[in-house]
């Protein structure tokens, strides 16, 4: 009984530490920025036809109508509920990793450190400059689908999650769909269980369905006949609690996306103009990139003892972030795309440890041994992550932007 109480106290203490980190960031970043295009999209609803980005707006529409809540309050309800659910999901993962019976003690400690790094760094607080960004829901549905596949329980949820993600935002296929795909690939080519053919069928169905939905939403979907720009802008004004004139700068974008009367230029910025920003980003985050490289190198090394197919699959898994490359080319919301890449690496390492894949656990043991030998260095990495803080929506974060600005001034001299 005494041992149980001690273990329970340890779990409670850890969860309290995580809550304290969240509270500190919330106080530090308050007041959150809450407006702009993210709020305009909440006005999109299937009442206008089967249009893109309208899933969340339709849910808001139904709740507002059913409960007689004015639209101007719905955005606050949406924002608070979104962040509460996201926070709860993250804390639930943390708690489950500490409560799983029979889990390797080194893996438990590793997952504690991983969650601390996640919360101290950009994990929870990134969207402070666009509170309750719809991207948060893309993340939530993806990890739900990923978990269903990894645990092989209600795998159909992966298909539902992928469809929801695409209905929320067409760019889902580039940002968070990779989490579900990598889970399927793991179960098909690494897992030794006999039902791999069934899972492969689910993979093909999920991929085809989402690909078709992406093509439709991106290039075909438009508001039904009779819907006009004034109607949509009036609804957007009601949700944002502003006048139509105050949000008039978004009219051309709404017109392009929903009415298809004007072409919206997807490639808004040429990546060549920002090459230095991306170079600086890689350099600034190089200590973490190197640690990820070492971690996966050890996984592949262990997997080679099993089979070349497994080793190759493991070697390809961390490169799932290449799906974000089109987003870097088409739009300059580099903070959003970088966060998606960051979360991908975090999520797959977390999940593979949670299911205690033998090759991943072996790599975790190597990492923990290295950590004990270089405690000061890894403590510095924690501090470094906290110092870098959240990502901005566009130019990643202020430190990287400052270095980039100085770099351009130096290059201009030469």
């Amino acid at each position: 009984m005494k041992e149980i109480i001690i273990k329970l106290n340890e779990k409670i203490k850890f969860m309290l530490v995580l809550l304290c980190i969240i509270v500190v960031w919330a106080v530090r970043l308050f007041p959150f920025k809450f407006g702009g295009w993210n709020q305009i999209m909440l006005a999109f609803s299937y009442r206008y036809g089967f249009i893109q980005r309208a899933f969340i707006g339709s849910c808001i529409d139904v709740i507002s109508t059913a409960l007689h809540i004015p639209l101007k309050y719905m955005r606050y309800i949406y924002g608070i509920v979104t962040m509460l659910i996201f926070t709860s999901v993250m804390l639930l993962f943390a708690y489950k990793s500490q409560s799983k019976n029979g889990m390797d003690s080194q893996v438990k400690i590793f997952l504690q450190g991983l969650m601390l790094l996640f919360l101290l760094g950009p994990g929870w607080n990134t969207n402070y400059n666009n509170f309750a960004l719809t991207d948060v829901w893309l993340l939530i549905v993806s990890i739900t689908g990923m978990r269903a596949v990894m645990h092989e329980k209600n795998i159909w949820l992966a298909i539902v999650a992928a469809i929801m993600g695409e209905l929320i935002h067409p760019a889902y296929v580039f940002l968070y769909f990779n989490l579900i795909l990598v889970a399927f690939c793991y179960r098909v080519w690494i897992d030794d269980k006999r039902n791999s053919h069934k899972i492969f069928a689910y993979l093909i169905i999920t991929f085809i369905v989402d690909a078709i939905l992406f093509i439709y939403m991106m290039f075909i979907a438009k508001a039904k006949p009779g819907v006009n720009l004034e109607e949509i802008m009036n609804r957007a004004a009601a949700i944002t609690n502003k006048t139509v004139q105050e949000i008039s700068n978004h009219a051309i974008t709404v017109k392009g996306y929903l009415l298809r009367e004007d072409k919206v230029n997807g490639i808004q910025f040429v990546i060549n103009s920002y090459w230095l920003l991306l170079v600086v980003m890689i350099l600034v985050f190089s200590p973490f990139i190197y640690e990820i490289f070492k971690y996966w190198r050890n996984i592949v090394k262990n997997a080679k003892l099993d089979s070349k197919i497994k080793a190759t699959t493991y070697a390809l898994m961390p490169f799932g972030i290449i799906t974000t490359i089109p987003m870097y080319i088409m739009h300059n919301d580099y903070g959003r795309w970088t966060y998606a890449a960051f979360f991908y690496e975090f999520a797959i390492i977390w999940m593979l440890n949670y299911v205690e894949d033998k090759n991943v656990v072996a790599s975790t043991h190597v990492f923990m041994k290295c950590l004990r030998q270089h405690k000061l260095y890894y403590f510095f990495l924690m501090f470094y992550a906290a110092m870098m803080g959240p990502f901005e929506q566009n130019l990643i974060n202020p430190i990287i932007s400052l270095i980039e600005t100085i770099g351009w001034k130096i290059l201009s001299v030469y």
Side-chain angles (χ1 to χ4, degrees):
M1 178 63 73
K2 185 177 180 181
E3 291 180 358
I4 294 174
I5 293 173
I6 291 173
K7 288 182 180 179
L8 185 62
N9 287 337
E10 289 176 354
K11 293 174 191 174
I12 293 173
K13 287 178 182 178
F14 178 61
M15 298 306 295
L16 286 175
V17 168
L18 299 183
L19 282 171
C20 285
I21 292 172
I22 290 172
V23 170
V24 168
W25 272 119
V27 172
R28 163 71 179 81
L29 300 173
F30 187 83
F32 303 107
K33 298 175 184 177
F34 196 53
W37 176 245
N38 188 50
Q39 301 301 305
I40 299 296
M41 285 194 296
L42 298 182
F44 296 178
S45 170
Y46 293 134
R47 65 166 62 195
Y48 302 130
F50 193 41
I51 57 176
Q52 60 171 280
R53 310 176 191 225
F55 184 83
I56 292 176
S58 296
C59 293
I60 289 174
D61 197 359
V62 170
I63 294 170
S64 174
T65 302
L67 301 180
H68 305 288
I69 302 174
L71 285 175
K72 65 180 180 180
Y73 298 127
M74 284 305 302
R75 69 184 183 122
Y76 294 106
I77 295 173
Y78 158 78
I80 293 169
V81 169
T82 295
M83 292 310 294
L84 281 177
I85 291 177
F86 173 59
T87 303
S88 299
V89 168
M90 292 297 103
L91 292 179
L92 181 63
F93 275 132
Y95 180 77
K96 280 186 170 291
S97 70
Q98 302 305 303
S99 304
K100 186 178 178 181
N101 293 327
M103 179 178 276
D104 186 294
S105 61
Q106 293 298 296
V107 172
K108 281 191 176 183
I109 297 171
F110 176 79
L111 290 179
Q112 282 185 347
L114 199 60
M115 184 56 74
L116 284 171
L117 182 66
F118 177 82
L119 292 180
L120 285 170
W124 180 83
N125 54 47
T126 281
N127 297 301
Y128 81 96
N129 66 345
N130 206 335
F131 188 67
L133 188 68
T134 51
D135 289 15
V136 174
W137 281 104
L138 303 183
L139 182 156
I140 291 171
V141 298
S142 278
I143 57 178
T144 300
M146 181 186 189
R147 189 176 185 277
V149 175
M150 293 298 289
H151 290 281
E152 294 189 56
K153 292 181 179 180
N154 302 316
I155 301 180
W156 56 269
L157 280 173
I159 301 176
V160 175
I163 292 172
M164 286 179 62
E166 192 56 38
L167 292 177
I168 291 170
H169 200 294
Y172 170 75
V173 295
F174 300 119
L175 298 175
Y176 294 101
F177 188 37
N178 50 13
L179 291 172
I180 293 177
L181 294 181
V182 77
F184 274 123
C185 291
Y186 173 82
R187 283 305 184 197
V188 172
W189 285 289
I190 294 179
D191 189 31
D192 293 322
K193 294 182 179 179
R194 289 177 294 178
N195 59 354
S196 59
H197 295 297
K198 175 185 174 182
I199 297 174
F200 183 71
Y202 271 109
L203 166 60
I204 297 301
I205 292 170
T206 305
F207 183 83
I208 291 175
V209 168
D210 227 50
I212 293 172
L213 196 54
F214 165 73
I215 292 170
Y216 176 81
M217 288 297 173
M218 194 70 183
F219 303 107
I220 302 173
K222 61 180 292 186
K224 62 187 179 183
V227 175
N228 55 59
L229 180 62
E230 183 181 2
E231 181 182 356
I232 300 172
M233 291 302 292
N234 283 334
R235 181 174 173 79
I239 282 185
T240 57
N241 198 26
K242 293 182 178 180
T243 65
V244 173
Q245 288 71 28
E246 288 177 298
I247 60 171
S248 60
N249 59 311
H250 296 291
I252 189 170
T253 309
V254 171
K255 191 176 183 180
Y257 280 137
L258 303 193
L259 303 180
R260 302 279 181 181
E261 294 180 7
D262 293 321
K263 291 183 179 179
V264 176
N265 184 13
I267 303 178
Q268 296 182 6
F269 295 85
V270 180
I271 200 167
N272 290 341
S273 302
Y274 292 93
W275 67 266
L276 184 57
L277 179 81
L278 300 180
V279 169
V280 172
M281 176 190 74
I282 292 171
L283 290 174
V284 167
F285 293 122
S286 60
F288 303 105
I289 295 172
Y290 178 62
E291 290 300 321
I292 292 172
F293 166 75
K294 286 196 306 178
Y295 191 83
W296 283 100
R297 182 184 61 187
N298 287 326
I299 293 174
V300 174
K301 183 179 178 181
N302 290 316
K304 284 180 179 178
L305 301 175
D306 288 337
S307 72
K308 288 184 178 180
I309 293 178
K310 288 186 178 182
T312 302
T313 305
Y314 279 119
L316 292 175
M317 287 175 75
F319 293 100
I321 60 173
I322 63 173
T323 62
T324 61
I325 290 176
M327 299 307 299
Y328 281 94
I329 297 172
M330 291 188 293
H331 204 290
N332 80 324
D333 281 4
Y334 292 159
R336 291 172 64 193
W337 322 148
T338 303
Y339 181 86
F342 156 78
F343 190 84
Y344 173 86
E345 298 294 344
F346 162 79
I348 58 173
I349 291 175
W350 179 281
M351 193 58 72
L352 290 175
N353 271 279
Y354 185 76
V355 299
E356 297 189 89
D357 175 273
K358 65 176 183 178
N359 295 307
V360 175
V361 169
S363 181
T364 295
H365 278 235
V366 173
F367 177 86
M368 293 303 295
K369 181 179 179 180
C370 185
L371 185 148
R372 287 191 293 270
Q373 294 172 345
H374 305 91
K375 291 181 180 179
L376 188 61
Y377 169 70
Y378 287 100
F379 176 80
F380 166 75
L381 285 186
M382 285 283 191
F383 172 78
Y384 186 53
M387 181 184 71
M388 295 302 297
F391 295 150
E392 298 280 353
Q393 179 173 324
N394 299 115
L395 302 183
I396 304 175
N397 73 25
I399 295 176
I400 292 175
S401 296
L402 176 62
I403 297 173
E404 183 220 11
T405 302
I406 295 172
W408 280 121
K409 289 181 179 179
I410 294 173
L411 289 174
S412 66
V413 175
Y414 299 97

